[in-house]
Amino acid sequence: MNKNNIDATTAVRHIITGFVSYTIITGFICFVILIVVNNFLNNFVGISSRGLYITLPLMAVILVYAIIHGICKLSTYDTFKKSKTSPDNYKKIVKYLNIFFIACIFLSIFVFLELLYLNLSIQTKTIEYSILKYRSVFSDTHVANLANDMTNSYNFSKTNLTISTIILVIGVATSILSLIPYQRKMIVKYNEREF
């Protein structure tokens, strides 16, 4: 089968478009699965163990590593299935894709930190609202005890969520960084392969 010749810019555009498209689709599926798992854990298991806040993010990082490598492979395969580029373009393609991957790392760090901040802010506002409601019903001593319990629970949750976020940020950043040498191998492999 004859492949169309494409330049470096077109190859980069196609790979990035495929990567982003597959990431959105996979991200949506993973988000739905995460909601189901989170609901199960909250309703049946009850997350009170610090081990779950470490184990689950580590499992997620391994899954993310496999998924983004699969997406990288698939987007490169799609690009070079019907087209090819000159081997002289490899360096330029890899350079632009490296910039894209570095931008993805910064974006993922921003998203994780923003989600952590949002989660902790919601918990804080919930505690404040609950204390206001309790004051109209219970005595000051009982409200102080409830506030103390909620604050202790919040501090436990804050520590665990921070640990989870750090694990996820490091894992996702490492997974994306590992795409830099992997992407070049995929470009060479699929550009030279006849389909």
Side-chain angles (χ1 to χ4, degrees):
M1 178 170 103
N2 288 337
K3 291 181 169 186
N4 300 326
N5 283 316
I6 58 174
D7 61 3
T9 306
T10 305
V12 169
R13 190 173 65 243
H14 286 237
I15 292 171
I16 290 175
T17 302
F19 189 86
V20 170
S21 301
Y22 289 126
T23 300
I24 290 170
I25 293 167
T26 308
F28 177 75
I29 293 168
C30 289
F31 182 71
V32 170
I33 293 170
L34 181 66
I35 289 172
V36 171
V37 169
N38 189 36
N39 190 35
F40 173 78
L41 290 174
N42 287 336
N43 289 333
F44 298 107
V45 177
I47 300 179
S48 59
S49 169
R50 180 159 285 155
L52 283 177
Y53 283 95
I54 295 171
T55 306
L56 292 178
L58 286 174
M59 289 170 41
V61 164
I62 293 167
L63 186 62
V64 164
Y65 179 87
I67 288 172
I68 65 171
H69 276 73
I71 289 172
C72 177
K73 185 175 186 175
L74 188 57
S75 63
T76 308
Y77 169 80
D78 282 351
T79 300
F80 293 111
K81 182 171 51 174
K82 295 181 181 175
S83 53
K84 65 180 177 179
T85 191
S86 167
D88 297 335
N89 291 332
Y90 290 167
K91 190 172 184 176
K92 189 174 181 183
I93 293 170
V94 169
K95 176 183 154 191
Y96 287 124
L97 289 174
N98 290 350
I99 293 169
F100 170 72
F101 292 140
I102 298 298
C104 287
I105 290 171
F106 285 116
L107 179 64
S108 67
I109 290 170
F110 174 77
V111 168
F112 279 120
L113 293 179
E114 195 61 31
L115 287 173
L116 175 65
Y117 173 77
L118 184 64
N119 193 335
L120 295 177
S121 294
I122 289 171
Q123 287 185 33
T124 303
K125 296 295 180 192
T126 303
I127 291 171
E128 291 171 1
Y129 178 72
S130 297
I131 290 171
L132 284 175
K133 279 181 62 178
Y134 292 153
R135 283 202 172 121
S136 64
V137 179
F138 301 114
S139 68
D140 288 343
T141 307
H142 189 63
V143 170
N145 289 336
L146 290 172
N148 189 34
D149 289 344
M150 287 187 287
T151 302
N152 289 339
S153 178
Y154 167 78
N155 288 333
F156 179 78
S157 176
K158 179 180 177 182
T159 302
N160 290 334
L161 287 172
T162 304
I163 291 169
S164 295
T165 302
I166 290 169
I167 292 169
L168 287 170
V169 165
I170 292 171
V172 170
T174 304
S175 296
I176 294 172
L177 272 176
S178 71
L179 289 179
I180 290 174
Y182 182 74
Q183 179 67 67
R184 180 172 175 82
K185 290 178 190 174
M186 292 300 102
I187 290 169
V188 172
K189 176 181 178 181
Y190 291 122
N191 189 51
E192 295 175 358
R193 180 186 282 185
E194 291 296 327
F195 293 95

